[in-house]
Amino acid sequence: MTIQHVHARRIWDSRGRPTVEVEVVNQDGTSGIGIAPAGASRGTREAVELRDGGTRLGGLDVQQALRGIEREIAPQLLGRAAADQAGIDALLLALDGTPHKARLGGNATIATSLAVLHAAAAQARQPLWQYLAQGRPVRLPLPQVQIFGGGAHAGRRVDVQDFMVIATGATSFGEAMEMTAEVYRAAGELMAQRGSLAGVADEGGWWPSFSRNEEALDALVAAIEKAGYTPGTDVAIALDIAASEFGSGRRYRLALENQDLDSNALCERLVRWVERYPIVSIEDPLAEDDEPGLVALTRAVGDRVQVVGDDYLVTSADRVRRAAGLGACNCVLIKPNQAGTVTETLAALQAARERGYATIVSARSGETEDVAIVHLATGWNAGQLKVGSFARSERMAKWNEGIRIESRAGAPAGFWGRQSLAGSPGGA
Ligand code: PGA
Ligand code: ZN
């Protein structure tokens, strides 16, 4: 059974920007749709997002990417089996011919690759998570959910990009969602009481109106308590510092506090936060070019806290192996569009697993109604899932899909819970 049609079209993401959708139709009439998400705080080594440039639509249109799919990719896919993911992804790589998919665009390749994957699952008459699990037992992932959104997602109102919670006391995905909902609501009420409720940031977290980064941490602890939970036991804190956004050359500028810090000083600041607050996970604590800083922080707190590489590791198996050799980070953020194909994404996840690193499958700040990553996180048994906040339908569609997977007959029996966290007691 082989691929009969490939359609590429422009759709719109959660920021109202153009993005690439690909539909792959098999001979038997089954089909699959893949959509490219888009980041705002990107690592420099990510697969390149091909945008048209110029003035129309802010230069963000994707007509070139669509043309590449129609003229170069589609003719090569016709007659091939959708089940041959590795073969098709290798073909995409070869067709592009550049190290970072700059010619055809990582947005074109990931949308195509995901569409092929969905089409293969549809042909096998299985939900995607089940198709990926191939009969192996899997568990629902532990969610990381944003409560305050900052950095590049909130006009740089605070320096830290994501203030998140992890329901470490939850025993099911559904329960984690309910606990998160309570904390999200409590945080909104707290902001309203302080007269600082100002809508939401790009991923649905409350817009941060704080005068220091620590104030956001204090507010988060207060929200967890207000919701009736014990911070650190029931609900813990996860941060995405996204330090590449405010630092390079081992120098950092905390705009909110009007401070310039070198790598050591930022490291010390983060260690202090880890000591003072119930933090269990900290992503991109230092900039992607500050490898010594990442090694130093991992050495300092990696036995207690999950240290996650996003911009630094860019979902690359080679980068993960390099980091493992140095002792930088103990967890890998897995974003399919950073890699550009499903096969390379899986290779990064497997490299992480081989080195004993934990994994978090993650959405981007520019998303759509697409719920594929929930299936990837479950079917690949990644352990953790990060899709943004607890508001806005491009986020809620994904959380709700997790609930559906958990509740359907024939669903995975278990839930990862806190043991999926690297560095935590009883963790990975
Ligand atoms: P991005 O950020 O999708 O805007 O790049 C998300 C993250 O840093 O995890
Ligand atoms: Zn990040």
Side-chain angles (χ1 to χ4, degrees), residues 41 161-162 240-242 283-284 309-311 333 335 362 386:
S41 71
Q161 181 179 284
D162 291 315
D240 183 357
I241 308 293
E283 181 176 328
D284 284 346
D310 171 13
D311 293 351
L333 203 74
K335 290 170 162 170
S362 172
K386 177 188 177 195

Side-chain angles (χ1 to χ4, degrees), residues 15 37-43 46 146 152-153 161-162 164 202-203 240-242 245 283-284 310-311 333 335 337-338 362-367 386 395:
R15 284 189 276 243
S41 71
R42 291 193 290 267
E46 293 190 18
Q146 186 194 67
H153 303 159
Q161 181 179 284
D162 291 315
M164 297 173 286
D202 277 15
E203 297 188 8
D240 183 357
I241 308 293
E245 290 291 310
E283 181 176 328
D284 284 346
D310 171 13
D311 293 351
L333 203 74
K335 290 170 162 170
N337 79 322
Q338 282 183 330
S362 172
R364 302 307 302 251
S365 52
E367 272 292 332
K386 177 188 177 195
R395 312 292 151 186

Side-chain angles (χ1 to χ4, degrees), residues 12-30:
W12 305 88
D13 76 9
S14 53
R15 284 189 276 243
R17 296 176 183 170
T19 194
V20 177
E21 173 170 293
V22 174
E23 187 162 4
V24 165
V25 184
N26 295 314
Q27 247 174 357
D28 66 357
T30 56

